[in-house]
Amino acid sequence: MHSRWFNVALPLLAAGLLLVASARQSEAQSADEILRRAGEYLASQDAEKRAKGAEAAAEVNNKKALDLILKALLIEKDTDTAVRMGACFAKFTDAEALQSARDTVTKWTRPEQIFPAYYLLTGLARGRTESGDAIIRDCVLASKPKEFNLKAAGLEAIGEGARKELAPVIAELFATWNPDWDEKGVIVAMCGIFAAPKLVNRESDKKVRDDVMRGLINILKNTKNDRLSYFAVKALSQITGEKMYQDPKFWEWWISVGGYKAAGDNPEGATTAERRVPQFFGMATVGKRIVFCIDVSGSMQHPAAMPPQPKKENPPPKKEGPTTGEKGKKDGDSKKDEKPEPDPPDYSKVKTKLDLAKVELIYTLKQLDREFLFNVVIYDTQHGLLIQGVKNLVPATDENKNRFIKAVEALNWRQLTNIHGGLMDSFSITERGFHDWKKMDPAWHDECMQLGVETVYFLTDGFPTVSDDSSDINDVGKIGPNGPIGPPVGNGKMCKPQNIVNEIKRVNTFRKAVIHTVGIGPHDGGLLRALSELSGGTYVDRTGVAAR
């Protein structure tokens, strides 16, 4: 009986196993075919095909697929495609594939590898797998102290993915202080500070929230970098809903009483920075390295409308938080070092929009103390430095300020409006010199990150009409005897406002410069608002007639 059953069952079992093996072999062959086709797409000159190739490979979900995408990501030049490639890593759950991701990304420590690492880690953060989270933790906490780029990429990924579960990573990192974060490794502290309010708030788990706050307080106690102080205070304010109190004692008290919104009960700790700082159109500087980016296009010759007061959007708190080299002063401190408020700008001779820009710029230049470094970019169809022989951020000495003021006074209007070119020039100036952004990417270049601009003041009276990537640049806006004979806007990718915003967001991902924007006359208010919001800056519609 048993023998007969065995004789029947054994062939059936063998047949079943052959079917399973055949199915698996078929699946393997299918996966190989998908990856072969994906590889062809990833080698294409077409950015859309490369993105689709990565997305197809990710569906295979094995090590071979992941390695194929990693290799393509590392050399991808198109930002939109690189972002889509990074998003593919959210789909990977295969253990061998994720181990390969760990082995690879932990070696991406060079400056030019920071964005591939960031895109990869952001994908893993959104994938929310235990192995993916472990890779992110290792990049932030287990990497070497001087592997700043890898740490920053991990922190930015945590913030971008709004991964509240990974808030303890920031708390653990900030529990100790690395003096290199003040200068060489400033991107580590900045990325962690910016991520913190995205992960915890007043209503979060008390222990996690308080641990993150203690980390921010630790930075506030130890840093000598004005910008870190400012943003650490701002993050604490965003988390708690309190004002931007500078004294660490206030925040320690806030934690000790359980997080009650009762600053008035602790006047000793409730101190703010009271030092006056330079302002341009009423917007305060953050940090010491400043670039003014000024529109000198043809429309700047038109009359300037002068409302009684500028209209602001998203203004940062005034006199609440460090913006220059001094810690907060307590009530009753000596004011002997304070300078009197300067006379307001003289608008009596303002007739054109360019006149208004000149008056405000000269007024701000006169306010700068020697501790500030600055330069001025001008743009129309072309773009570049106001004084061609001065290619770096220069100290605000009387000699330098007077030289720039004379150059500002001599400015005249010119041609069209190359907004992208002006902004990219602004991000390419450092204390040591100017870098050609067409040859060197200011988004990750070490010198630009460490010694580049901290506050950009961007002023325009119009809309982007040309860009360096326009092929019809000589025809744009041309007028003949019977009317326009050329297109009103160039055909370049960077003539489109959203593309400008996307590119500046990329360039500023790790640099965290504050971009204040000013519109004079009919201008693209949506563009200026977006530029300011992505950086924590302020948008001012100076003449109240922005196109929304």
Side-chain angles (χ1 to χ4, degrees):
M1 178 78 180
H2 292 294
S3 176
R4 276 195 329 216
W5 179 89
F6 187 79
N7 289 336
V8 173
L10 185 59
L12 290 174
L13 178 61
L17 290 173
L18 285 173
L19 286 173
V20 170
S22 177
R24 287 179 177 173
Q25 183 178 11
S26 178
E27 288 176 6
Q29 290 173 344
S30 176
D32 287 342
E33 177 60 19
I34 291 172
L35 293 181
R36 185 188 68 77
R37 293 294 301 277
E40 292 176 356
Y41 269 54
L42 286 167
S44 170
Q45 295 297 311
D46 183 270
E48 178 64 21
K49 281 191 173 182
R50 296 196 298 275
K52 287 183 176 180
E55 289 162 354
E59 295 296 334
V60 176
N61 188 24
N62 64 20
K63 179 180 181 299
K64 189 175 180 179
L66 184 135
D67 289 344
L68 188 65
I69 302 172
L70 283 178
K71 183 179 179 181
L73 176 62
L74 193 59
I75 60 174
E76 181 57 55
K77 300 300 181 185
D78 183 81
T79 300
D80 294 339
T81 301
V83 170
R84 287 173 65 179
M85 286 181 176
C88 292
F89 295 103
K91 298 181 180 180
F92 282 91
T93 57
D94 178 76
E96 186 182 17
L98 290 172
Q99 181 61 47
S100 183
R102 178 197 296 272
D103 294 342
T104 301
V105 73
T106 51
K107 297 175 184 176
W108 283 355
T109 59
R110 297 197 305 273
E112 64 271 24
Q113 295 171 323
I114 190 170
F115 276 94
Y118 162 56
Y119 297 139
L120 163 60
L121 294 174
T122 299
L124 294 178
R126 288 175 173 156
R128 296 177 177 272
T129 65
E130 185 176 338
S131 296
D133 288 355
I135 294 170
I136 297 169
R137 287 192 195 94
D138 282 354
C139 288
V140 176
L141 299 175
S143 54
K144 296 177 182 178
K146 292 187 181 297
E147 290 179 344
F148 307 126
N149 295 327
L150 188 57
K151 291 180 184 294
L155 292 167
E156 194 67 18
I158 291 172
E160 182 72 15
R163 289 300 311 280
K164 297 179 181 180
E165 305 89 337
L166 295 176
V169 174
I170 294 178
E172 183 176 344
L173 179 71
F174 284 172
T176 58
W177 170 251
N178 182 344
D180 282 338
W181 292 348
D182 265 343
E183 295 181 7
K184 293 181 180 179
V186 68
I187 59 171
V188 175
M190 287 293 286
C191 288
I193 289 171
F194 269 69
K198 299 177 183 178
L199 309 179
V200 296
N201 57 39
R202 190 181 185 83
E203 307 304 323
S204 298
D205 175 85
K206 185 175 181 298
K207 182 182 185 309
V208 175
R209 179 200 67 198
D210 291 353
D211 284 348
V212 171
M213 289 182 63
R214 289 187 183 98
L216 294 169
I217 293 167
N218 192 40
I219 288 180
L220 192 57
K221 285 181 174 179
N222 287 281
T223 186
K224 297 177 182 178
N225 183 304
D226 305 325
R227 197 161 55 118
L228 289 186
S229 294
Y230 174 82
F231 282 114
V233 170
K234 186 174 182 179
L236 288 164
S237 173
Q238 291 172 322
I239 291 169
T240 62
E242 296 285 354
K243 294 181 179 180
M244 289 180 64
Y245 296 116
Q246 166 67 23
D247 195 330
K249 292 180 180 178
F250 170 78
W251 301 109
E252 291 173 333
W253 168 82
W254 194 93
I255 292 172
S256 72
V257 298
Y260 299 108
K261 187 174 175 63
D265 296 340
N266 186 37
E268 181 182 359
T271 59
T272 60
E274 295 293 340
R275 184 177 183 181
R276 179 179 61 79
V277 297
Q279 299 187 358
F280 183 60
F281 282 91
M283 299 177 290
T285 57
V286 179
K288 298 178 182 178
R289 299 190 292 269
I290 308 167
V291 171
F292 302 90
C293 187
I294 307 298
D295 187 344
V296 292
S297 60
S299 55
M300 291 290 284
Q301 67 183 299
H302 297 157
M306 296 292 292
Q309 295 291 335
K311 187 195 302 181
K312 292 185 179 181
E313 295 190 10
N314 302 323
K318 290 184 177 180
K319 298 184 178 181
E320 294 180 351
T323 52
T324 58
E326 214 170 25
K327 296 286 185 181
K329 291 183 179 181
K330 297 180 181 179
D331 295 338
D333 280 357
S334 171
K335 297 185 178 182
K336 63 181 180 180
D337 294 330
E338 293 184 6
K339 293 184 178 181
E341 290 289 333
D343 293 332
D346 180 9
Y347 300 120
S348 63
K349 297 182 180 179
V350 171
K351 295 181 179 180
T352 68
K353 289 179 279 187
L354 186 55
D355 290 337
L356 177 57
K358 288 181 180 182
V359 165
E360 291 281 2
L361 179 52
I362 291 170
Y363 171 73
T364 304
L365 290 175
K366 288 180 177 178
Q367 293 182 59
L368 298 180
D369 294 329
R370 286 175 174 265
E371 64 185 355
F372 290 95
L373 301 167
F374 76 98
N375 208 317
V376 178
V377 168
I378 56 174
Y379 67 95
D380 55 293
T381 303
Q382 305 301 320
H383 49 88
L385 300 172
L386 173 63
I387 301 177
Q388 291 300 311
V390 181
K391 297 184 179 296
N392 60 306
L393 295 167
V394 297
T397 61
D398 289 341
E399 180 182 359
N400 284 332
K401 289 191 291 184
N402 288 335
R403 184 180 180 187
F404 272 83
I405 288 171
K406 288 180 180 179
V408 170
E409 290 172 338
L411 274 176
N412 206 344
W413 57 271
R414 300 178 184 178
Q415 300 179 48
L416 303 172
T417 311
N418 191 339
I419 286 176
H420 175 255
L423 285 168
M424 291 299 289
D425 281 353
S426 300
F427 278 93
S428 300
I429 307 169
T430 76
E431 291 183 33
R432 295 176 183 168
F434 179 83
H435 298 273
D436 184 350
W437 49 268
K438 294 179 182 179
K439 299 178 180 178
M440 176 281 307
D441 191 347
W444 53 257
H445 191 276
D446 270 352
E447 187 177 312
C448 290
M449 288 230 246
Q450 296 171 20
L451 303 174
V453 64
E454 294 173 320
T455 296
V456 174
Y457 287 111
F458 176 77
L459 180 147
T460 187
D461 78 321
F463 300 75
T465 54
V466 293
S467 58
D468 288 18
D469 65 339
S470 297
S471 61
D472 59 350
I473 195 167
N474 293 322
D475 297 323
V476 177
K478 277 193 175 181
I479 306 295
N482 300 317
I485 59 174
V489 177
N491 60 8
K493 180 179 179 180
M494 291 304 164
C495 289
K496 296 180 180 180
Q498 189 56 54
N499 290 338
I500 295 173
V501 172
N502 292 345
E503 178 63 0
I504 298 306
K505 180 179 179 181
R506 183 193 71 83
V507 170
N508 205 32
T509 297
F510 296 101
R511 295 182 56 175
K512 309 297 186 192
V514 172
I515 306 173
H516 292 312
T517 58
V518 186
I520 301 178
H523 61 274
D524 190 339
L527 170 60
L528 298 199
R529 189 181 304 109
L531 288 171
S532 65
E533 287 177 351
L534 68 85
S535 65
T538 302
Y539 159 52
V540 170
D541 178 3
R542 183 62 179 86
T543 46
V545 288
R548 301 296 174 176

